[in-house]
Amino acid sequence: MVISYNWLCEYLPAEDNNGKMRPSPEQLSKILTSVGLEVESLKKYESIKGGLRGLVVGEVISTAKHPNADKLKLTVVNVGRPDPLRIVCGADNVQQGQKVIVALPGTTIFPTKGEAFTIKSAKIRGEESNGMICAEDEIGLGESHEGILVLPTESIVGAPAENYFPSYEDHIFEIGLTPNHMDAMSHIGVARDVCAYLSHHHKKDYRVRMPHVSLIGPDNHSIPIRVSILNKKDCERYSGVSIKGITIKDSPVWLQNKLKSIGLRPINNIVDATNFVLHEMGQPLHAFDADAIKGRRILVKNLPAGTKFVTLDEKERTLSDEDLMICNEEEGMCMAGVFGGLESGVKSTTKNIFLESAWFNPVAIRKTSLRHGLRTDAATHFEKGMDISNTVAALKRAALLIKELAGGEIASDIVDEYPLPRPKTQIILKHHYLKKLSGKNYHSDTVRKILLSLGFDVLRESIDDILVAVPFHKPDIQLPADVVEEIMRIDGYDNIEIPTTITISPSIGSDRILSSYRDKTSSYLVSAGFHEIFTNSITNSAYYSQEELKASVKMINNLSAELNIMRPSLLQTGLETLAYNINRKNNNLRFFEFGKSYGTTGVGKYTEKNHLCLYVTGNLTSDSWKGKSVSSDVFYLKGLIKRILQLLNIHAPVLEGERGRQLELHFQAHAKGNLLVDAGSVDAALLRSFDIRQPVFFADFNWDELSRLAETNNIEFKELPRQLPVYRDLAMIVDSTLPFNSLEKTIRDSRVSKLQEVQLFDIFESEKLGKGKKSLAISLTFMDEEKTLTDKEIDAMMQTIMKKLEDDLKAEIRK
């Protein structure tokens, strides 16, 4: 559920008797979450993204043809500074004397489509450009890119552009509503809970500022519409009124801003008015073209199965005999509570309308909605249960609003068919039951005031219990436990008391986020065929060199001669586990371990470092009818490292490093000068010391640094590309000592922006190629996210890459 802060505040008291102002968006967020309307996000909304900040009005002093480009012009623009700006412009309509909008260097602009970007001074085709003259789509003011936006001649040079195009600002709450809170599916419903909370905690009487709807009467009776409810189970109440002489047009800016802020697209003044009332009062409405109601009669009934019906989206649908329909005397006009019909819908030529406000059975509406795949706003509201007492009030509110927006006259009395008026549900709440469930001893006055503020009627009070009538806007409340929940949430779930008999308080982990990174990584490794191991942090000093032992933590009272130090590295304890398994014919192993290494920098100064270590040995797959087994290698390990870094949203290249004492074929990854991972094949001499006679591949992640980087990195989302990638292969002869990462870096340095990926797929070495030479074959992936690349564009990019390889690496391109 999306709630607008500005809109919500219209129903909250401006200030209390002490002059205290309305809660801020952040305070409201805490209040809403406290009363059970969990705020999942709070975001600032701007109708013009960025608010045109940094954009100013400029005047074009002169224009001239660009000497190096036919479609560009050199302009000189006065922006109210001592020196005018030279700006290169590509618009055809730029002319001397125009008042335009200019983005100055350093300004970030937000296009209607695409990502925001910052304007910089640059040379364009050899000419200096110090800003940008803007079109409306480049700054979020519209869709047009036919030319620059030209302002009226009286516009003041140097004035902020936001003075001429004010942006509507708001804060938007995204509320995770539970199914039992249909009463909060509107701004007034949320305001009711906020006022109840403020009344309880501030000890003042806060009341929702309801819109005035009582003073409404017919201007004439020229369009009377009769209503008959034939299916009283699925339609318990049906209200309506006729309005004559309306004019269909765009809604005023204030209404459009309100709807846009909560994600709705304005359509016209009639549809927008019904949507406004839906999100204000929670009551879905529907407007019919009154002239399309044949016989001036509405029948609420079911049509025979197989009946064809064309909906507003111009699709023909086959009805079930369970679909409730709004019909005239000859045919169906609307799928009740779900979707309107094409013939009876409001059109641009409509002059007279009939406005519907009804209560429909939630079960029937949900079945129809799912049956036809129509998940509309109206259906979503109806299927959760509506306030049956609200139909006439919402109808009056909408009718008055339509008169204000579209003109016209009320052309009938309000029709209100309510054959079997519902009684309110009555519930007895015993005070000892309230204390039992809540764990808190509420005073009876507190209980009464909370329930009254939520719209309950108190029918009787006694020393032991209270009898209340449940308001119609809370159809989910059927039991005393439901009433207890209402009291507790207005008091605030944060205020639930912990009984004094509990002696151990639940602990709250301070490393919840860090644990989530560990869980994510563990899940990935397990899915990749790894098993988690836990090795002893106390180990044998004989495994380590004298250099490593200098900074090791030695045990004073060691349990045995072999277990005499805290491990300075996890490699050796992991090799112990590998050796144990290999000695028992379990040769194909993939292990991972989260653990600590220990060190000392002096007397009484100790350090602990967290690690994630991977151990891989043996075959990755077994022999089968489809092929031979595949052995593990250092490149498999390198792929795992890259994937784990991606999982943690860390961008660091995995590059070849120098051979270490314990690792061969060495790879490392660094970020911001810190070592993130050290990996490679374990030195053969070290393996022999553990009696391991097969290759072992090991990766040691600096988990402390990885966690810190992962916690500070922001996750960014972008739209999936709409274009397909293009693939090109390239083969070349290079020096046999050239590593692939140097080749890839050279290709990346060519700065081909559309290049997405470089993949090595073949290595060939032969004396025929020449002494000290090898052939590499790579696959290049190109993609433009905005359009399909042409062969000419791809060939140009390939030529750039090939020239870069030839110049920098002396590569011989194989044709």
Side-chain angles (χ1 to χ4, degrees):
M1 183 66 194
V2 178
I3 295 295
S4 155
Y5 173 76
N6 290 347
W7 197 347
L8 179 63
C9 284
E10 293 181 8
Y11 312 110
L12 299 178
E15 57 184 42
D16 62 19
N17 296 333
N18 296 324
K20 189 172 182 179
M21 302 304 293
R22 296 183 179 117
S24 67
E26 292 74 19
Q27 291 171 327
L28 263 179
S29 179
K30 293 180 180 179
I31 291 173
L32 294 175
T33 300
S34 182
V35 299
L37 307 180
E38 182 182 1
V39 176
E40 296 178 342
S41 68
L42 171 60
K43 297 178 181 178
K44 186 175 181 180
Y45 169 83
E46 293 176 309
S47 60
I48 304 173
K49 199 167 183 181
L52 303 182
R53 286 181 286 275
L55 301 176
V56 299
V57 176
E59 181 178 8
V60 180
I61 298 174
S62 66
T63 66
K65 187 177 181 300
H66 194 295
N68 303 317
D70 293 337
K71 295 185 177 181
L72 297 179
K73 294 180 181 179
L74 302 179
T75 67
V76 178
V77 183
N78 175 19
V79 293
R81 295 182 174 183
D83 298 320
L85 300 180
R86 292 173 56 85
I87 299 175
V88 176
C89 180
D92 292 333
N93 67 327
V94 62
Q95 294 179 10
Q96 181 179 351
Q98 289 175 333
K99 298 291 181 65
V100 294
I101 293 181
V102 179
L104 303 175
T107 299
T108 300
I109 63 176
F110 298 83
T112 301
K113 295 179 181 178
E115 299 293 327
F117 61 93
T118 301
I119 301 298
K120 298 178 181 179
S121 296
K123 282 193 174 183
I124 301 177
R125 296 289 184 93
E127 295 293 333
E128 185 179 357
S129 183
N130 296 304
M132 175 178 171
I133 304 176
C134 303
E136 66 175 45
D137 68 322
E138 293 169 333
I139 53 178
L141 287 177
E143 302 283 342
S144 174
H145 194 69
E146 294 179 358
I148 59 171
L149 182 62
V150 180
L151 300 179
T153 56
E154 61 269 17
S155 302
I156 300 174
V157 173
E162 57 191 297
N163 292 354
Y164 297 90
F165 302 94
S167 176
Y168 176 77
E169 296 184 357
D170 198 352
H171 287 81
I172 303 301
F173 302 95
E174 183 78 34
I175 296 177
L177 277 185
T178 52
N180 62 324
H181 277 306
M182 59 71 51
D183 57 308
M185 292 184 69
S186 66
H187 285 77
I188 287 178
V190 173
R192 184 187 299 113
D193 280 357
V194 172
C195 286
Y197 179 92
L198 295 175
S199 297
H200 173 65
H201 289 274
H202 294 178
K203 309 303 180 186
K204 300 288 182 181
D205 185 17
Y206 288 83
R207 297 192 181 185
V208 177
R209 299 168 65 191
M210 297 294 292
H212 297 289
V213 296
S214 57
L215 300 176
I216 180 173
D219 298 307
N220 56 65
H221 297 84
S222 57
I223 310 179
I225 304 291
R226 293 176 295 151
V227 174
S228 299
I229 302 176
L230 304 185
N231 183 343
K232 296 180 175 59
K233 175 187 174 185
D234 292 339
C235 177
E236 293 188 22
R237 188 173 190 178
Y238 192 99
S239 308
V241 69
S242 301
I243 306 176
K244 179 183 179 181
I246 63 167
T247 301
I248 305 294
K249 58 183 179 181
D250 290 339
S251 298
V253 173
W254 69 265
L255 179 53
Q256 292 194 35
N257 283 336
K258 275 188 166 60
L259 297 179
K260 287 178 181 178
S261 70
I262 61 171
L264 295 182
R265 179 175 62 89
I267 298 173
N268 60 51
N269 49 358
I270 304 302
V271 176
D272 294 350
T274 59
N275 281 334
F276 175 86
V277 174
L278 168 63
H279 288 275
E280 178 187 55
M281 304 182 72
Q283 174 63 45
L285 304 166
H286 186 73
F288 296 94
D289 187 328
D291 297 328
I293 303 176
K294 297 175 181 177
R296 288 196 174 179
R297 186 182 181 194
I298 281 181
L299 297 98
V300 185
K301 63 180 182 178
N302 299 78
L303 295 177
T307 301
K308 303 297 182 182
F309 180 68
V310 181
T311 47
L312 279 170
D313 56 2
E314 300 183 359
K315 292 183 179 180
E316 184 178 80
R317 303 179 189 273
T318 302
L319 300 178
S320 163
D321 57 3
E322 294 183 353
D323 294 330
L324 185 66
M325 298 293 295
I326 309 300
C327 309
N328 57 39
E329 287 191 339
E330 298 181 13
E331 60 193 358
M333 298 189 299
C334 174
M335 300 170 70
V338 179
F339 210 36
L342 183 63
E343 296 300 323
S344 64
V346 175
K347 308 171 185 63
S348 59
T349 56
T350 298
K351 294 298 180 183
N352 308 312
I353 63 170
F354 178 77
L355 198 59
E356 165 197 282
S357 178
W359 185 98
F360 299 122
N361 188 327
V363 175
I365 298 304
R366 181 169 177 79
K367 286 182 177 179
T368 296
S369 174
L370 295 176
R371 187 181 298 118
H372 296 281
L374 293 169
R375 303 299 295 155
T376 60
D377 265 355
T380 301
H381 279 72
F382 275 122
E383 68 188 28
K384 293 184 183 298
M386 287 289 95
D387 179 356
I388 199 170
S389 68
N390 196 36
T391 60
V392 172
L395 184 69
K396 290 180 178 179
R397 171 65 165 155
L400 289 173
L401 187 59
I402 288 173
K403 280 190 67 176
E404 176 188 335
L405 301 177
E409 303 171 334
I410 305 297
S412 74
D413 289 319
I414 290 178
V415 180
D416 184 23
E417 287 295 314
Y418 195 4
L420 301 171
R422 276 189 181 188
K424 288 185 176 181
T425 301
Q426 296 186 10
I427 297 176
I428 296 176
L429 175 63
K430 296 187 178 296
H431 295 306
H432 73 83
Y433 181 75
L434 170 60
K435 182 178 181 181
K436 178 182 177 182
L437 262 63
S438 67
K440 189 172 182 178
N441 192 12
Y442 288 97
H443 193 279
S444 58
D445 286 345
T446 300
V447 172
R448 178 171 52 80
K449 288 178 180 179
I450 289 177
L451 294 178
L452 287 173
S453 67
L454 289 172
F456 287 79
D457 296 327
V458 177
L459 305 179
R460 190 197 71 230
E461 285 186 90
S462 70
I463 193 171
D464 296 321
D465 58 36
I466 183 172
L467 174 64
V468 296
V470 180
F472 287 114
H473 61 257
K474 292 184 176 292
D476 61 291
I477 295 182
Q478 302 291 329
L479 302 169
D482 300 328
V483 180
V484 173
E485 179 188 356
E486 292 296 291
I487 295 168
M488 291 178 66
R489 69 184 189 87
I490 298 304
D491 185 39
Y493 287 132
D494 295 338
N495 296 322
I496 295 175
E497 296 179 355
I498 298 176
T500 56
T501 54
I502 294 180
T503 56
I504 300 176
S505 300
S507 63
I508 301 175
S510 59
D511 59 344
R512 178 178 57 84
I513 296 177
L514 300 181
S515 296
S516 71
Y517 298 140
R518 176 171 171 164
D519 293 341
K520 182 189 295 186
T521 305
S522 299
S523 297
Y524 165 70
L525 290 170
V526 169
S527 69
F530 279 72
H531 292 84
E532 187 172 8
I533 61 172
F534 297 90
T535 60
N536 196 345
S537 58
I538 305 174
T539 188
N540 192 341
S541 61
Y543 294 153
Y544 301 90
S545 67
Q546 290 300 316
E547 186 68 23
E548 290 172 304
L549 290 176
K550 287 180 181 179
S552 65
V553 179
K554 299 171 179 63
M555 303 292 295
I556 298 175
N557 297 314
N558 47 300
L559 299 176
S560 66
E562 292 79 18
L563 300 176
N564 56 355
I565 64 167
M566 302 291 288
R567 62 185 177 197
S569 165
L570 276 70
L571 172 58
Q572 287 76 3
T573 54
L575 291 176
E576 277 186 322
T577 306
L578 291 177
Y580 181 89
N581 281 269
I582 291 171
N583 289 338
R584 288 158 180 79
K585 306 301 180 183
N586 189 11
N587 298 323
N588 305 320
L589 303 168
R590 278 174 279 182
F591 293 153
F592 74 97
E593 177 179 14
F594 285 95
K596 292 182 178 181
S597 65
Y598 305 86
T600 180
T601 56
V603 179
K605 298 179 180 180
Y606 302 101
T607 60
E608 294 182 8
K609 296 181 180 179
N610 288 288
H611 300 258
L612 164 63
C613 293
L614 308 184
Y615 312 84
V616 181
T617 187
N619 295 331
L620 300 175
T621 61
S622 303
D623 290 338
S624 71
W625 63 272
K626 294 183 70 176
K628 296 292 184 180
S629 60
V630 177
S631 300
S632 57
D633 56 26
V634 73
F635 300 103
Y636 169 72
L637 185 68
K638 185 178 179 182
L640 288 170
I641 293 169
K642 287 185 174 181
R643 181 62 183 134
I644 290 172
L645 293 177
Q646 289 174 354
L647 278 175
L648 299 175
N649 194 32
I650 295 172
H651 305 287
V654 182
L655 303 175
E656 187 174 348
E658 296 181 1
R659 186 186 187 279
R661 190 188 72 82
Q662 298 174 336
L663 297 177
E664 303 171 338
L665 294 173
H666 197 194
F667 291 95
Q668 291 182 331
H670 293 81
K672 299 181 179 179
N674 296 315
L675 178 66
L676 299 183
V677 59
D678 203 15
S681 59
V682 180
D683 181 78
L686 182 60
L687 292 178
R688 285 193 296 271
S689 69
F690 285 90
D691 199 24
I692 297 175
R693 295 178 173 82
Q694 62 188 57
V696 174
F697 305 97
F698 172 74
D700 182 5
F701 291 82
N702 182 344
W703 192 249
D704 290 321
E705 187 63 18
L706 286 176
S707 299
R708 187 187 67 79
L709 287 175
E711 193 172 12
T712 56
N713 284 348
N714 292 323
I715 298 176
E716 297 181 354
F717 297 86
K718 66 178 183 179
E719 184 180 7
L720 290 173
R722 300 180 180 179
Q723 307 299 327
L724 294 175
V726 179
Y727 304 94
R728 290 288 187 273
D729 294 341
L730 184 64
M732 70 206 75
I733 298 173
V734 296
D735 291 337
S736 59
T737 57
L738 180 72
F740 173 69
N741 63 295
S742 296
L743 175 70
E744 182 180 11
K745 184 177 184 300
T746 301
I747 294 174
R748 296 291 185 187
D749 288 345
S750 65
R751 301 190 182 281
V752 175
S753 61
K754 303 298 187 294
L755 178 64
Q756 300 288 316
E757 187 175 2
V758 181
Q759 187 71 40
L760 175 68
F761 68 87
D762 186 55
I763 302 175
F764 176 70
E765 294 182 338
S766 172
E767 290 294 330
K768 295 179 181 180
L769 298 175
K771 187 177 180 180
K773 298 292 183 179
K774 64 181 176 182
S775 174
L776 300 180
I778 60 175
S779 174
L780 303 172
T781 304
F782 301 92
M783 185 171 67
D784 189 325
E785 296 183 355
E786 300 298 328
K787 63 181 181 65
T788 302
L789 290 170
T790 64
D791 288 341
K792 183 178 179 180
E793 291 172 325
I794 298 167
D795 291 340
M797 290 186 283
M798 289 293 293
Q799 288 298 326
T800 300
I801 292 171
M802 289 189 289
K803 188 175 187 309
K804 183 73 173 175
L805 293 171
E806 290 171 340
D807 293 345
D808 292 10
L809 301 180
K810 309 304 179 188
E812 178 184 345
I813 306 300
R814 304 185 71 179
K815 305 297 183 181

